[in-house]
Amino acid sequence: MSKRKFFDGLLNGITYLFSSLGIVILALIFVFIFSTGGSTLSFDLLSEDYYSTNYVVRYSSPYEGGNYVYSPSDNEYFSSKWGIALEDTTSIEGTDAISISYIDRESPLIDGLVNVSNSNYHHLEIGTYISTLLVNTEDGRVLSSSVRNGAEKMCETLNQAQTITNMNLSRGGGGIKGSLISTLYLILFTLILLLPLGIAAAIYLSICAKDNKITRALKTLIDMSSGVPSIIFGLVGLLIFVPMLNGIIGSDGHSLIAGALTMTIMLLPTVISTTKETIDVIPKKIINGSLALGASQTQTTFKIILPNAIPGILTSTLLAIGRIIGESAALIFVMGTQIQDNIILNQGSTTLATHIYNLMGLENPNTSLAAAIAIIILIAVLVLNILVKLVGLYFKKKGLK
Amino acid sequence: MTRTNLLKVCACLGLATTLVACGGTTSSNQSSFDSSRNITLYTRDTTSGTRDGFFTGIGLGDAKEDNAPLKDGVVTVDSNGTMMNRVAADVYGLGYISLSTLSENDSIKGLDYDGVEPTEANVLSGDYELTRNFNYIKCASYSDSTKEELVNAFIAYMSTQEGKAVIQSEGGIVEIKTTDPTWASIASQYPAVSKDNSSVTLNFGGSTSVSNTAKALAESFEQLAGGVKFSHNYLGSGDAYTKTQGSNAGEFDLAFASREFNLTSSEPAAEGTYGTLAIDAIVAVCNIANPYEATDAATLVSMYTGEVTTWAEVID
């Protein structure tokens, strides 16, 4: 008795140990992702373009200097000569930046800087980032300062300046709006192609097809292809869809449409088998009843079978959306890794997942932004999974009534 | 929920907390340094200009394109960023990176080389000797005269005060002299820049180490040259000659290398088509927890060839 108790306890202990190990690993992943990316995640990140708007400006007429007054806060530095305060900050994507935090209304910089690209006066706004500054001093020296040296040094340089030879400014940038829109487009176009194909195939297989060797082989093939690694679908997309689309829609290499086509063939097996399973469990009584009442096979399919298969179709749609959001390998092949702000259907762009790939491939990988995007993806997938459960529950309750 | 179930859940959570606690203690133990441990050596891949510069600089030139002279078990990483992350995570690691990226990671430190601290000032004065040049190379001929003129203007821009300020902002080491021309004073020599060039795209590529500098220069040059567009594709210094004048000539309009071109053998670049835009220093780096502070060429060679295996042998 005590021996049996001992072994039971041991086995239970091992089960608990491994289950807790699983929980710990999952928890650690979440903690890591949230602690790395949490501070970068913001609403601006979602709504801002990736590429900043850049300006090159100069102030050529010698400036004697004013005596402006402002009380700067902790990490602000104020140039009383030019009437401008600079602040050490981080850009939306979490990299170091120097931004203009205050400009005196009388400051010569507010409307006196000349935009080099079109020789117009540039209106300087609060929140603009300064990346480099090159000035001439009164005694003819050339001084420079950049974002690497920090706001204090840049302010010192500015204080010694008589003319500003060159100042590189930028506004905005660092956001993931483009990738977010690209992901939504990809979901939309994939579903438009995927659902009719998948549902029709499922109806054919479970209702129209005769139960013979060919049908069984077809079913086995579909089940098998749901296990094909996505990179193989990516390869197919790259070698077939990309050249094909180059000819049809005039894309140049990668395109969002090629991505949608690739995702469609990748997800077809999932949609077909999920929908087929739902159709298969519709009680034969209902179908036979419909036929017995004089409805044709087509009427039965569209009025009886399809409405009853909606839970399966919804579930597979949600699962497909989850896969599209998380897919990366295949999309790198067919959509490329070039981040875009304006999404054009016959051009390459990045989804959220491939945006992460792009960030980590940089010379200095931006891990905090990558983790912030990972949080968005995790939350999206989590919400989708909860929705799948809710849909299931809803239809189960409805069925019971 | 029955009492047994409750007990099971409690047991699970309890075990989970214990395991988390274990994880915590192991990581805090790592901060103490045990000098009898082996040195973990990290190196860049053979296409890297940083690797070329480092091994040529310390006098182990054989190792720049071949792992054979190096100790077995050297870890190869494929970028500056990965090198930083690996050494930052490995208390017993030793690697080398570009000085411009050193400040970006607080968990690694640069080692003095031949008694000189790796700073921009020491590199400019010539005291810090483990350096390499960032070079550019253009095509021998262009089919499009606008592109050619814009590339020439870009090359000129790199040596103006404005261009140098941008190079500095990305960590490239250049000295801005009062005698350097300003862009405003030379722009008129390049009439192409005053036209609308928004339909022209210049293809840039080459060294990953130069990529940030090249992108920043391109970003500001776009404003100065009628909105000319750029396409960037940086995969390594090896592409610089191949895709401008070599077997794939013309794929890039201007390319960058973080090493010298092999003018006498594999890369016979035409006279006047290449030059230097900045100096970069290479810094041997180790983890911040490591007490090792200063090194020299001979010690680095003995570590990378495996003559010396533990930290105790190099730390006094």
Side-chain angles (χ1 to χ4, degrees):
Chain A
M1 184 65 191
S2 65
K3 197 178 169 188
R4 181 177 158 185
K5 223 175 184 176
F6 171 75
F7 277 110
D8 281 359
L10 189 72
L11 287 175
N12 280 340
I14 290 172
T15 317
Y16 295 153
L17 181 75
F18 284 120
S19 60
S20 55
L21 209 69
I23 295 168
V24 169
I25 291 169
L26 266 180
L28 283 180
I29 290 173
F30 273 87
V31 167
F32 175 76
I33 295 283
F34 273 88
S35 63
T36 320
S39 58
T40 311
L41 196 63
S42 67
F43 184 72
D44 284 345
L45 183 70
L46 302 180
S47 60
E48 194 62 72
D49 280 347
Y50 181 71
Y51 296 100
S52 54
T53 323
N54 300 306
Y55 310 95
V56 179
V57 295
R58 65 164 67 110
Y59 191 86
S60 326
S61 50
Y63 177 62
E64 295 304 323
N67 196 11
Y68 300 98
V69 189
Y70 174 69
S71 49
S73 63
D74 269 352
N75 53 352
E76 260 185 325
Y77 301 93
F78 182 65
S79 163
S80 55
K81 179 174 182 177
W82 293 88
I84 185 170
L86 306 177
E87 184 185 19
D88 281 315
T89 171
T90 52
S91 65
I92 291 170
E93 54 177 334
T95 50
D96 287 341
I98 296 176
S99 85
I100 294 168
S101 55
Y102 169 82
I103 314 169
D104 195 285
R105 234 177 280 167
E106 305 291 315
S107 166
L109 297 179
I110 196 160
D111 278 313
L113 289 164
V114 177
N115 189 330
V116 178
S117 61
N118 55 14
S119 305
N120 292 336
Y121 284 106
H122 177 80
H123 176 68
L124 194 63
E125 285 173 59
I126 288 173
T128 306
Y129 297 126
I130 306 184
S131 57
T132 64
L133 173 70
L134 181 75
V135 304
N136 273 80
T137 62
E138 220 162 314
D139 51 1
R141 284 178 302 139
V142 176
L143 294 178
S144 74
S145 181
S146 75
V147 63
R148 292 172 67 83
N149 311 115
E152 188 175 12
K153 168 86 192 302
M154 189 167 281
C155 198
E156 267 171 36
T157 312
L158 205 54
N159 275 333
Q160 297 179 59
Q162 188 186 34
T163 60
I164 298 173
T165 323
N166 190 63
M167 189 149 83
N168 288 357
L169 305 174
S170 67
R171 280 191 69 77
I176 58 166
K177 191 182 80 181
S179 299
L180 204 61
I181 293 172
S182 167
T183 312
L184 294 177
Y185 273 160
L186 185 67
I187 292 173
L188 180 73
F189 284 98
T190 307
L191 290 183
I192 288 175
L193 294 167
L194 175 68
L195 290 180
L197 285 176
I199 295 168
I203 290 173
Y204 170 79
L205 281 177
S206 51
I207 295 170
C208 309
K210 291 197 178 86
D211 189 21
N212 54 21
K213 269 184 186 169
I214 299 172
T215 313
R216 280 197 296 274
L218 213 59
K219 283 176 186 169
T220 321
L221 267 178
I222 288 169
D223 284 342
M224 270 170 62
S225 56
S226 61
V228 173
S230 60
I231 195 145
I232 293 172
F233 287 112
L235 204 59
V236 172
L238 179 68
L239 299 178
I240 296 174
F241 292 142
V242 169
M244 192 178 88
L245 288 171
N246 283 355
I248 299 172
I249 58 170
S251 56
D252 183 16
H254 306 305
S255 69
L256 200 146
I257 296 290
L261 285 172
T262 311
M263 289 313 292
T264 303
I265 55 161
M266 189 187 300
L267 294 170
L268 258 181
T270 320
V271 174
I272 294 175
S273 47
T274 321
T275 313
K276 199 174 121 351
E277 274 162 29
T278 339
I279 294 176
D280 284 346
V281 297
I282 297 172
K284 279 278 165 314
K285 282 186 281 185
I286 301 179
I287 297 170
N288 288 341
S290 162
L291 292 171
L293 284 170
S296 68
Q297 179 68 56
T298 318
Q299 282 173 324
T300 311
T301 304
F302 283 94
K303 293 194 168 155
I304 305 295
I305 296 173
L306 266 189
N308 277 300
I310 281 177
I313 295 169
L314 269 179
T315 311
S316 60
T317 307
L318 293 173
L319 286 175
I321 295 175
R323 279 285 295 276
I324 297 168
I325 294 175
E327 183 52 48
S328 57
L331 294 179
I332 289 169
F333 281 172
V334 291
M335 281 171 66
T337 57
Q338 194 67 43
I339 298 169
Q340 301 287 349
D341 283 329
N342 299 313
I343 307 303
I344 300 166
L345 294 183
N346 65 357
Q347 277 181 11
S349 53
T350 51
T351 66
L352 291 174
T354 50
H355 194 120
I356 296 184
Y357 177 86
N358 179 301
L359 292 173
M360 297 312 287
L362 298 175
E363 181 68 6
N364 300 310
N366 188 342
T367 37
S368 64
L369 180 54
I373 300 175
I375 295 175
I376 299 171
I377 294 178
L378 278 177
I379 291 174
V381 173
L382 192 73
V383 167
L384 283 171
N385 277 321
I386 293 173
L387 275 180
V388 170
K389 289 262 186 302
L390 288 180
V391 166
L393 271 178
Y394 174 76
F395 282 104
K396 212 172 169 185
K397 267 188 191 162
K398 215 180 157 189
L400 284 175
K401 270 176 194 172
Chain B
M1 195 182 272
T2 60
R3 226 180 97 208
T4 18
N5 270 348
L6 201 67
L7 270 174
K8 282 176 192 169
V9 170
C10 286
C12 259
L13 286 177
L15 271 168
T17 354
T18 330
L19 281 166
V20 171
C22 286
T25 34
T26 19
S27 59
S28 64
N29 277 344
Q30 276 179 2
S31 59
S32 63
F33 188 80
D34 174 9
S35 65
S36 65
R37 291 281 294 270
N38 281 350
I39 303 167
T40 326
L41 295 164
Y42 291 92
T43 183
R44 288 286 305 277
D45 52 300
T46 49
T47 61
S48 157
T50 317
R51 177 183 175 130
D52 184 308
F54 178 73
F55 284 121
T56 311
I58 64 171
L60 193 64
D62 293 345
K64 68 182 185 191
E65 280 170 2
D66 186 8
N67 270 339
L70 302 180
K71 187 187 158 197
D72 286 346
V74 169
V75 183
T76 304
V77 295
D78 58 5
S79 75
N80 250 327
T82 320
M83 178 78 90
M84 285 197 288
N85 291 337
R86 293 295 289 271
V87 177
D90 183 353
V91 183
Y92 303 100
L94 177 81
Y96 52 87
I97 58 167
S98 158
L99 175 62
S100 59
T101 47
L102 179 63
S103 58
E104 288 171 23
N105 198 316
D106 298 333
S107 304
I108 56 171
K109 62 175 176 190
L111 301 171
D112 292 3
Y113 182 77
D114 286 340
V116 185
E117 197 188 339
T119 61
E120 289 184 23
N122 286 342
V123 176
L124 270 181
S125 69
D127 292 334
Y128 187 86
E129 287 178 337
L130 192 54
T131 60
R132 52 148 172 197
N133 287 343
F134 281 168
N135 294 315
Y136 64 83
I137 181 166
K138 61 171 182 170
C139 299
S141 63
Y142 291 85
S143 52
D144 182 338
S145 64
T146 314
K147 270 193 173 185
E148 180 169 16
E149 203 175 329
L150 286 170
V151 168
N152 287 335
F154 187 89
I155 291 171
Y157 172 67
M158 291 194 290
S159 55
T160 59
Q161 293 182 2
E162 289 95 332
K164 284 182 170 182
V166 175
I167 293 173
Q168 275 186 346
S169 74
E170 291 298 330
I173 302 170
V174 281
E175 193 177 7
I176 303 175
K177 304 191 202 88
T178 34
T179 51
D180 288 331
T182 60
W183 174 251
S185 68
I186 61 161
S188 57
Q189 296 169 23
Y190 302 95
V193 299
S194 52
K195 295 178 194 140
D196 175 22
N197 293 316
S198 52
S199 60
V200 183
T201 302
L202 296 179
N203 294 306
F204 278 20
S207 164
T208 57
S209 304
V210 194
S211 62
N212 284 344
T213 310
K215 280 178 190 165
L217 281 166
E219 229 167 54
S220 54
F221 189 70
E222 187 185 334
Q223 309 297 316
L224 306 174
V228 59
K229 297 282 178 290
F230 291 88
S231 163
H232 298 279
N233 193 5
Y234 302 93
L235 293 170
S237 294
D239 278 356
Y241 175 80
T242 325
K243 295 187 176 172
T244 51
Q245 300 184 21
S247 52
N248 290 343
E251 195 167 316
F252 292 151
D253 298 306
L254 186 69
F256 302 89
S258 53
R259 57 168 170 78
E260 299 304 308
F261 298 107
N262 294 325
L263 296 172
T264 49
S265 57
S266 56
E267 300 180 327
E271 189 70 28
T273 58
Y274 57 92
T276 299
L277 63 128
I279 311 172
D280 180 42
I282 299 169
V283 192
V285 288
C286 64
N287 194 282
I288 198 81
N290 192 328
Y292 194 53
E293 294 287 347
T295 189
D296 54 54
T299 317
L300 285 172
V301 170
S302 60
M303 288 198 272
Y304 270 95
T305 52
E307 276 171 52
V308 169
T309 52
T310 65
W311 281 108
E313 293 169 70
V314 291
I315 300 171
D316 313 319

